[in-house]
């Protein structure tokens, strides 16, 4: 044990140190520490997989699985060191992109490759349950993932003062400093090659489209911290949702 600890300590001392943002704070992390954080996240995914397996076993045993609609998704992804970030308080593609798995009664497997957003989940469930009131359906922001769609959907996202727009394979992103970044997410899903340095026609088109999207209004008169109990505030702060 002492020998193993000494070897690990030696490896740690030789590690390359990088500066990473975690919940808005700059921290120095070695390659070993980065690897441990990624491993811990992988462990959480395995834990979730194991529990989903138990859930499906229960549904099958109880006779509920066959006639159930089951949707597996997430509210956001997570940056695990990409762009020197270790949280989800940004709008890079790895944070925006989430799984969407839908199990329907008596329907075989298939993969839909057209783009959808989280807002589409509610209209999808409504349609699957047979609700037909067009007047109500037209008030939804999203639309059913099984309805008629175009490949070139305009997918807009925002977080704080950051904005993102995806059309086809291109994504334009205005970061926290108001600077624009543009990526080809098909060829460059890790977003390593910023194409916004050359302001061509595609950049100008996406920038115009993004600026035309209505931005959410800021609720400046509402102090959310004042309506939360201390336990809830502490929990949200640990997750990086409030400072």
């Amino acid at each position: 044990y002492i020998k193993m600890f000494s070897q690990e300590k030696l490896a740690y001392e030789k590690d390359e140190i990088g500066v990473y943002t975690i919940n808005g704070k700059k921290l120095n992390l070695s390659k070993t520490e980065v690897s441990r954080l990624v491993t811990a996240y992988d462990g959480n995914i395995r834990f979730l997989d194991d529990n989903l397996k138990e859930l499906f076993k229960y549904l099958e045993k109880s006779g509920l699985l066959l006639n159930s609609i089951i949707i597996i998704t997430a509210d956001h992804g997570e940056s695990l060191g990409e762009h020197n970030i270790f949280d989800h308080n940004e709008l890079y593609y790895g944070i925006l992109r989430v799984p969407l798995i839908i199990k329907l009664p008596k329907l075989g497997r298939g993969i839909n490759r057209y783009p959808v957003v989280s807002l589409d989940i509610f209209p999808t469930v409504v349609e699957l349950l047979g609700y037909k009131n067009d007047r109500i359906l037209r008030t939804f922001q999203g639309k059913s993932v099984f309805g008629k769609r175009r490949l070139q959907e305009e997918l807009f996202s925002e977080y704080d003062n950051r904005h993102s727009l995806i059309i086809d394979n291109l994504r334009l992103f205005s970061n926290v400093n108001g600077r624009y970044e543009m990526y080809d997410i098909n060829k460059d899903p890790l977003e390593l090659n910023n194409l916004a340095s050359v302001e061509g026609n595609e950049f100008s088109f996406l920038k115009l489209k993004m600026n035309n999207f209505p931005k959410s209004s800021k609720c400046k008169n509402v102090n959310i911290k004042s309506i939360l109990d201390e336990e809830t505030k502490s929990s949200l702060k640990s997750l990086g949702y409030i400072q």
Side-chain angles (χ1 to χ4, degrees), residues 130-146:
Y131 193 77
K132 301 294 184 182
N133 190 322
D134 289 338
R135 185 177 63 84
I136 299 298
L137 294 176
R138 283 196 296 269
T139 65
F140 296 158
Q141 288 182 271
K143 53 187 175 181
S144 170
V145 302
F146 299 108

Side-chain angles (χ1 to χ4, degrees), residues 2-19:
I2 293 175
K3 183 179 180 181
M4 182 178 67
F5 177 79
S6 300
Q7 289 174 341
E8 185 175 305
K9 185 173 183 295
L10 182 62
Y12 175 81
E13 289 172 348
K14 291 181 178 180
D15 258 350
E16 182 180 336
I17 303 296
V19 180

Side-chain angles (χ1 to χ4, degrees), residues 1 6 17 29 74 84-85 92 119 136-137 141 148 153 176 178 182 197 210 224 236 241:
Y1 175 81
S6 300
I17 303 296
L29 297 177
N84 289 76
I85 299 169
Y92 284 108
L119 285 170
I136 299 298
L137 294 176
Q141 288 182 271
K148 186 177 180 181
E153 297 279 351
V176 67
M182 187 173 76
S197 56
M210 177 186 283
I224 191 169
L236 289 173
Y241 289 111

Side-chain angles (χ1 to χ4, degrees), residues 166-213:
I166 300 174
I167 299 180
D168 197 13
N169 62 310
L170 291 178
R171 188 177 86 89
L172 185 66
F173 163 46
S174 64
N175 61 31
V176 67
N177 298 313
R179 299 190 185 98
Y180 288 99
E181 302 176 34
M182 187 173 76
Y183 300 98
D184 185 326
I185 54 178
N186 284 353
K187 297 178 181 178
D188 180 26
L190 296 179
E191 298 187 321
L192 301 175
N193 182 27
N194 183 6
L195 303 175
S197 56
V198 180
E199 294 198 14
N201 292 334
E202 291 173 325
F203 175 87
S204 300
F205 172 74
L206 285 171
K207 186 176 178 182
L208 178 63
K209 282 279 188 180
M210 177 186 283
N211 290 336
N212 286 337
F213 263 87

Side-chain angles (χ1 to χ4, degrees), residues 48-65:
L48 176 61
D49 281 350
D50 289 344
N51 280 275
L52 282 174
K53 183 179 179 180
E54 294 302 313
L55 173 62
F56 274 84
K57 279 183 179 179
Y58 166 77
L59 292 174
E60 186 172 27
K61 186 176 180 180
S62 61
L64 296 172
L65 185 61

Side-chain angles (χ1 to χ4, degrees), residues 152-165:
Q152 287 194 321
E153 297 279 351
E154 298 176 359
L155 308 181
F156 179 75
S157 307
E158 62 180 328
Y159 172 76
D160 200 7
N161 57 345
R162 307 157 178 86
H163 303 95
S164 166
L165 179 65

